[in-house]
Amino acid sequence: MKIVILGAPGAGKGTQAGLLAGRLGIPTISTGNLLRAAMQQGTELGAQVKDAMDAGRLVPDEMIIQLVRRRLEEEDCQAGYILDGFPRTLAQAQALGGFAQIDAALSIEVGDEEIERRMEGRRICPACQTTYHTESNPPKKEGVCDKCGGLLVTRRDDTRAVVENRLHIYHEETEPVKEYYRRQGLLAAVRGQDKLADTTQRVFEALRISL
Ligand code: ADP
Ligand code: ZN
């Protein structure tokens, strides 16, 4: 299965993508993580994307489209994948349609105020990219990653001003992508719930996958 996950930054895309991927035995391809990895490895691409990411702007379409297209050609993606964070613009959605046949687009809907509240508590493990939340999804030991023992940090682009910018871009650039998939009959939308497990249940129901 090839599934696209849409939703505002902080809507819980990454978490639900991970659960779906685990259930279906296919990888999650997260463009945010691909870009952060490129930055950490100090590649030329990484240097180019740093300013855009820190400011909460999107990186150029051609760059991200090429990155994703290459990644999807790899062996582990042949049986399917969950795309988290791509497509984020209409141009990206159209490009993806040219090299992949998507089975479903799942939109996780969360209001702006709730997003701003959530982002303040968001933490990430720089070593393995797992995300946590101080209230809704805390690690067993405060500040430490359950999976690898890494020390959790706040992402540089999770500050208030940057979050507002990212929300603005989401409404302008990414919401039209929902319409694109709706017209193709591929859109499933669920409202993000306060409790992670409640959202998960709705996500699996919407995609008709048993938990
Ligand atoms: P979130 O999980 O909060 O939605 P991501 O980790 O997916 O955030 O993305 C972080 C940043 O990476 C974005 O703000 C943007 O700068 C860049 N980015 C990620 N995916 C894309 C994309 N498909 N197109 C352009 N830029 C992207
Ligand atoms: Zn970790």
Side-chain angles (χ1 to χ4, degrees):
M1 246 190 139
K2 297 174 179 165
I3 301 173
V4 158
I5 313 235
L6 305 170
K13 295 188 298 290
T15 306
Q16 299 301 330
L19 292 166
L20 281 167
R23 173 70 181 77
L24 297 171
I26 53 181
T28 300
I29 309 303
S30 154
T31 46
N33 289 350
L34 282 179
L35 292 169
R36 279 185 288 274
M39 261 164 51
Q40 275 174 10
Q41 285 158 13
T43 62
E44 195 185 320
L45 181 111
Q48 284 176 41
V49 301
K50 186 177 181 303
D51 289 345
M53 277 185 85
D54 282 353
R57 289 194 312 270
L58 296 181
V59 308
D61 281 336
E62 318 79 70
M63 184 186 284
I64 194 83
I65 288 165
Q66 202 190 72
L67 193 72
V68 171
R69 184 153 47 81
R70 286 219 195 107
R71 181 65 186 85
L72 298 186
E73 280 168 6
E74 283 174 38
E75 191 55 39
D76 63 332
C77 291
Q78 299 321 306
Y81 42 77
I82 313 285
L83 273 173
D84 164 20
F86 184 93
R88 258 179 158 96
T89 66
L90 215 41
Q92 292 177 18
Q94 283 159 348
L96 178 66
F99 57 82
Q101 180 132 28
I102 297 303
D103 297 297
L106 176 84
S107 170
I108 304 177
E109 319 257 324
V110 177
D112 287 7
E113 278 175 26
E114 171 69 15
I115 292 289
E116 290 185 25
R117 203 176 58 75
R118 286 186 188 187
M119 298 292 245
E120 285 176 19
R122 187 151 87 158
R123 302 289 181 271
I124 187 168
C125 170
C128 77
Q129 314 285 343
T130 303
T131 54
Y132 298 89
H133 193 280
T134 50
E135 284 153 45
S136 62
N137 181 27
K140 292 200 183 71
K141 181 160 183 265
E142 196 185 321
V144 179
C145 178
D146 291 345
K147 290 193 184 153
C148 77
L151 294 184
L152 306 182
V153 300
T154 301
R155 266 168 48 179
R156 268 194 306 260
D157 58 349
D158 277 350
T159 62
R160 191 162 202 92
V162 175
V163 167
E164 275 169 18
N165 192 26
R166 292 166 71 202
L167 274 174
H168 178 73
I169 293 172
Y170 172 74
H171 293 302
E172 298 282 310
E173 307 267 0
T174 311
E175 284 208 301
V177 175
K178 270 190 339 199
E179 196 47 42
Y180 172 87
Y181 286 113
R182 182 176 300 143
R183 267 188 265 120
Q184 298 184 25
L186 296 177
L187 187 73
V190 300
R191 179 142 284 283
Q193 305 295 305
D194 287 341
K195 288 213 188 82
L196 202 157
D198 294 340
T199 307
T200 305
Q201 196 185 343
R202 281 161 210 238
V203 164
F204 278 64
E205 268 169 25
L207 293 170
R208 297 198 183 81
I209 298 168
S210 58
L211 259 169

